[in-house]
Amino acid sequence: MSEHEPVHPVVEEWVRMETRRQFLRGGANALGMGALSLLAGDAFAQAPNTAATKKPNILKPNALGLPHFAPKAKHVIYLHMVGGPPQMDLYDYKPKMQEFYDKDLPESIRNGQRLTTMTSGQSRFPIAPSKYKFAQYGKSGMWISELLPHTAKMADDMCFIRSMHTDAINHEPAITYMQTGNQVTGRPCIGSWVSYGLGSLNNNLPTFVVLVATPSNTDQIQAISARLWTSAFLPGEHAGCSFRSQGDPILYINNPPGVDTKVRRTTLDGLKALNEINYKTVGDEETHTRIQQYELAFRMQASVPELTDLSKEPESTFKLYGEDAKKPGTFANTALMARRMVERGVRFVQIYLNNWDTHSNVAGRLPSQCKDIDQACYGLIQDLKARGMLDDTLVIWGGEFGRTIYSQGGLTKDNYGRDHHPRCYTMWMAGGGARPGQAYGETDDFSYNIVKDPVNVHDFHATVLTMLGIDQERFTYKYQGLDQKLTGVEPSKVIKELLA
């Protein structure tokens, strides 16, 4: 097409609409800044917009000037227990509750707390002490439930936070809050923020990977979706890449029948040329994201099969993680895959394990949940330690909220249910700059209210970013006229006591 040849009306309209969209998305801030400069004077108008000049570059991890200071962790493995594990049955030992069996929760403890619709209609709230035995382990003397015998052996490697609390009482907003720092969907998750800020350590694999494990018991599965690992307003390449446990690890990673590698390469070269023309015409930065993702997908055709092939792992690996590690989709398998990923340079691995929503039948469901994670978590930490990787790999374990000390539904000595509880819950970390062998924060005798050292979600995120060498106050992205942050606009602080 010559430069004077008329453009087809359909193409012309598409370019006009695309250009308008880009103007509204990227130019609205300029209009606001221009108006403000009229009020502030020419000196303000001439000040450089540093945020605009610092564009992320997938091939240059430190293009944003990060990390701000020497990091302790280079990788993160985040084990999210979907549904909310019951802290008083696992890590928050409350022996005094044995004296309160079937007695009503004192109003002075509940203190008007908001209830879910699942228990708001109950005539009473009977105390349900944990039916499980606890013992102290390690030099640190950590109290750990009998349900977690393997975990107990690594008590001195773990940093417990017994005083986490959240503002959300229902799953969807609570999980979203824990992952993105906001209860409203449409914000980047922590994995995407880390990918954006620190970039890739392996150009042949995604920077941020998501694995969804299948629990042994599936009585009460919570819905989770890809919006939990979205990049939202951050550039698209920072969204989580979901690996599957059945079929191709990534959809369409393999060439279709009749298409060999040479044909695929030729096709991608043609697409790249067309996308470059599109970029010069429209100026949409997401076009370059598309180019990068196509190229990464091509390289992953070689790197992903090697990554997911466990045949070369010695038998000792499966003895460490448990035999379930051989079964695709199990939590043990995803834990082993996480180690292999960070070993190959994946920056952030997010694992979800469902079915912790124990509204009823704790005795029937909690043991299988703990069996799914116990040896696998132990194996992961010990494997990382043996390979010299634990020091720069932060492992995080926890849910979106805790459970109530009172029983939901029927109560017996041998079984009970527990409702959602946002006022306190337990998480733990290991490696990557977390201080080992300590329990931070305390709850009351009912594991209902925090009595010492509360940690909210934004404080937790700020602390994790610090371990990665990122100052949460300086780590921002300009969007809709605001300097957006993972930790939001409300004050948050780094919990220095959690740092090694």
Side-chain angles (χ1 to χ4, degrees), residues 76-81 178-179 189-191 208-213 228-229 240-241 334 338 341 346 348-353 396 398:
V76 178
I77 300 174
Y78 191 151
L79 314 173
H80 189 113
M81 306 293 108
M178 197 70 228
Q179 289 297 323
C189 66
I190 185 172
F208 170 28
V209 172
V210 178
L211 302 166
V212 180
L228 291 174
W229 48 92
C241 179
T334 60
M341 287 177 180
V346 174
F348 198 106
V349 182
Q350 176 76 59
I351 297 178
Y352 289 99
L353 178 69
I396 302 169

Side-chain angles (χ1 to χ4, degrees), residues 288-309:
H288 275 166
T289 295
R290 188 181 305 131
I291 294 171
Q292 295 288 356
Q293 295 301 80
Y294 283 157
E295 293 299 322
L296 175 60
F298 182 76
R299 296 192 298 272
M300 285 167 60
Q301 289 186 323
S303 63
V304 168
E306 185 277 332
L307 166 68
T308 57
D309 180 10

